[in-house]
PDB file of all heavy atoms in Angstrom:
ATOM      1  N   ILE A 631       5.081 -13.011 -17.439  1.00 97.00           N
ATOM      2  CA  ILE A 631       5.684 -12.533 -16.216  1.00 97.00           C
ATOM      3  C   ILE A 631       6.257 -11.101 -16.360  1.00 97.00           C
ATOM      4  O   ILE A 631       6.372 -10.379 -15.402  1.00 97.00           O
ATOM      5  CB  ILE A 631       6.714 -13.535 -15.581  1.00 97.00           C
ATOM      6  CG1 ILE A 631       6.876 -13.219 -14.114  1.00 97.00           C
ATOM      7  CG2 ILE A 631       8.023 -13.494 -16.318  1.00 97.00           C
ATOM      8  CD1 ILE A 631       7.490 -14.328 -13.303  1.00 97.00           C
ATOM      9  N   MET A 632       6.628 -10.770 -17.609  1.00 96.00           N
ATOM     10  CA  MET A 632       7.195  -9.418 -17.859  1.00 96.00           C
ATOM     11  C   MET A 632       6.088  -8.398 -18.092  1.00 96.00           C
ATOM     12  O   MET A 632       6.346  -7.275 -18.344  1.00 96.00           O
ATOM     13  CB  MET A 632       8.237  -9.514 -18.966  1.00 96.00           C
ATOM     14  CG  MET A 632       9.425 -10.392 -18.701  1.00 96.00           C
ATOM     15  SD  MET A 632      10.197 -10.112 -17.077  1.00 96.00           S
ATOM     16  CE  MET A 632      11.593  -9.123 -17.551  1.00 96.00           C
ATOM     17  N   GLU A 633       4.899  -8.841 -18.214  1.00 94.00           N
ATOM     18  CA  GLU A 633       3.820  -7.937 -18.512  1.00 94.00           C
ATOM     19  C   GLU A 633       2.829  -7.803 -17.366  1.00 94.00           C
ATOM     20  O   GLU A 633       2.283  -6.748 -17.080  1.00 94.00           O
ATOM     21  CB  GLU A 633       3.059  -8.411 -19.709  1.00 94.00           C
ATOM     22  CG  GLU A 633       2.142  -7.398 -20.279  1.00 94.00           C
ATOM     23  CD  GLU A 633       1.317  -7.891 -21.418  1.00 94.00           C
ATOM     24  OE1 GLU A 633       1.785  -8.825 -22.133  1.00 94.00           O
ATOM     25  OE2 GLU A 633       0.214  -7.396 -21.619  1.00 94.00           O
ATOM     26  N   GLU A 634       2.540  -8.912 -16.657  1.00 94.00           N
ATOM     27  CA  GLU A 634       1.612  -8.868 -15.540  1.00 94.00           C
ATOM     28  C   GLU A 634       2.252  -8.820 -14.171  1.00 94.00           C
ATOM     29  O   GLU A 634       3.300  -9.418 -14.015  1.00 94.00           O
ATOM     30  CB  GLU A 634       0.733 -10.095 -15.588  1.00 94.00           C
ATOM     31  CG  GLU A 634      -0.301 -10.164 -16.722  1.00 94.00           C
ATOM     32  CD  GLU A 634      -1.145 -11.505 -16.655  1.00 94.00           C
ATOM     33  OE1 GLU A 634      -1.194 -12.103 -15.599  1.00 94.00           O
ATOM     34  OE2 GLU A 634      -1.695 -11.828 -17.666  1.00 94.00           O
ATOM     35  N   GLU A 635       1.507  -8.268 -13.217  1.00 94.00           N
ATOM     36  CA  GLU A 635       2.026  -8.228 -11.854  1.00 94.00           C
ATOM     37  C   GLU A 635       1.891  -9.685 -11.255  1.00 94.00           C
ATOM     38  O   GLU A 635       0.783 -10.249 -11.262  1.00 94.00           O
ATOM     39  CB  GLU A 635       1.073  -7.246 -11.048  1.00 94.00           C
ATOM     40  CG  GLU A 635       1.545  -6.981  -9.656  1.00 94.00           C
ATOM     41  CD  GLU A 635       0.697  -5.968  -8.965  1.00 94.00           C
ATOM     42  OE1 GLU A 635      -0.530  -5.819  -9.294  1.00 94.00           O
ATOM     43  OE2 GLU A 635       1.200  -5.348  -8.034  1.00 94.00           O
ATOM     44  N   THR A 636       2.990 -10.219 -10.788  1.00 96.00           N
ATOM     45  CA  THR A 636       2.932 -11.635 -10.343  1.00 96.00           C
ATOM     46  C   THR A 636       2.391 -11.779  -8.932  1.00 96.00           C
ATOM     47  O   THR A 636       1.612 -12.663  -8.547  1.00 96.00           O
ATOM     48  CB  THR A 636       4.423 -12.283 -10.357  1.00 96.00           C
ATOM     49  OG1 THR A 636       4.901 -12.000 -11.636  1.00 96.00           O
ATOM     50  CG2 THR A 636       4.391 -13.709 -10.060  1.00 96.00           C
ATOM     51  N   PHE A 637       2.712 -10.838  -7.985  1.00 96.00           N
ATOM     52  CA  PHE A 637       2.345 -10.901  -6.620  1.00 96.00           C
ATOM     53  C   PHE A 637       2.788 -12.224  -5.922  1.00 96.00           C
ATOM     54  O   PHE A 637       1.991 -12.858  -5.272  1.00 96.00           O
ATOM     55  CB  PHE A 637       0.808 -10.647  -6.438  1.00 96.00           C
ATOM     56  CG  PHE A 637       0.558  -9.437  -5.654  1.00 96.00           C
ATOM     57  CD1 PHE A 637       1.030  -8.194  -6.015  1.00 96.00           C
ATOM     58  CD2 PHE A 637      -0.137  -9.545  -4.422  1.00 96.00           C
ATOM     59  CE1 PHE A 637       0.754  -7.058  -5.283  1.00 96.00           C
ATOM     60  CE2 PHE A 637      -0.421  -8.384  -3.654  1.00 96.00           C
ATOM     61  CZ  PHE A 637       0.048  -7.173  -4.080  1.00 96.00           C
ATOM     62  N   GLY A 638       4.036 -12.589  -6.193  1.00 97.00           N
ATOM     63  CA  GLY A 638       4.558 -13.778  -5.577  1.00 97.00           C
ATOM     64  C   GLY A 638       6.061 -13.763  -5.642  1.00 97.00           C
ATOM     65  O   GLY A 638       6.722 -12.825  -6.187  1.00 97.00           O
ATOM     66  N   PRO A 639       6.724 -14.788  -4.955  1.00 98.00           N
ATOM     67  CA  PRO A 639       8.148 -14.769  -4.822  1.00 98.00           C
ATOM     68  C   PRO A 639       8.908 -15.325  -6.077  1.00 98.00           C
ATOM     69  O   PRO A 639       9.728 -16.239  -5.947  1.00 98.00           O
ATOM     70  CB  PRO A 639       8.375 -15.714  -3.647  1.00 98.00           C
ATOM     71  CG  PRO A 639       7.231 -16.653  -3.713  1.00 98.00           C
ATOM     72  CD  PRO A 639       6.071 -15.890  -4.339  1.00 98.00           C
ATOM     73  N   VAL A 640       8.704 -14.665  -7.202  1.00 98.00           N
ATOM     74  CA  VAL A 640       9.359 -15.139  -8.422  1.00 98.00           C
ATOM     75  C   VAL A 640      10.149 -14.032  -9.032  1.00 98.00           C
ATOM     76  O   VAL A 640       9.654 -12.954  -9.212  1.00 98.00           O
ATOM     77  CB  VAL A 640       8.309 -15.619  -9.405  1.00 98.00           C
ATOM     78  CG1 VAL A 640       9.070 -16.230 -10.693  1.00 98.00           C
ATOM     79  CG2 VAL A 640       7.441 -16.717  -8.808  1.00 98.00           C
ATOM     80  N   ALA A 641      11.450 -14.240  -9.254  1.00 98.00           N
ATOM     81  CA  ALA A 641      12.276 -13.178  -9.873  1.00 98.00           C
ATOM     82  C   ALA A 641      12.683 -13.570 -11.263  1.00 98.00           C
ATOM     83  O   ALA A 641      13.564 -14.432 -11.418  1.00 98.00           O
ATOM     84  CB  ALA A 641      13.561 -12.977  -9.008  1.00 98.00           C
ATOM     85  N   PRO A 642      12.172 -12.951 -12.271  1.00 98.00           N
ATOM     86  CA  PRO A 642      12.616 -13.190 -13.672  1.00 98.00           C
ATOM     87  C   PRO A 642      13.804 -12.252 -14.056  1.00 98.00           C
ATOM     88  O   PRO A 642      13.621 -11.026 -13.769  1.00 98.00           O
ATOM     89  CB  PRO A 642      11.365 -12.941 -14.513  1.00 98.00           C
ATOM     90  CG  PRO A 642      10.555 -11.942 -13.730  1.00 98.00           C
ATOM     91  CD  PRO A 642      11.022 -12.063 -12.235  1.00 98.00           C
TER      92      PRO A 642
END
Side-chain angles (χ1 to χ4, degrees):
I631 199 161
M632 298 310 258
E633 192 186 331
E634 288 181 18
E635 188 177 25
T636 308
F637 240 59
V640 184

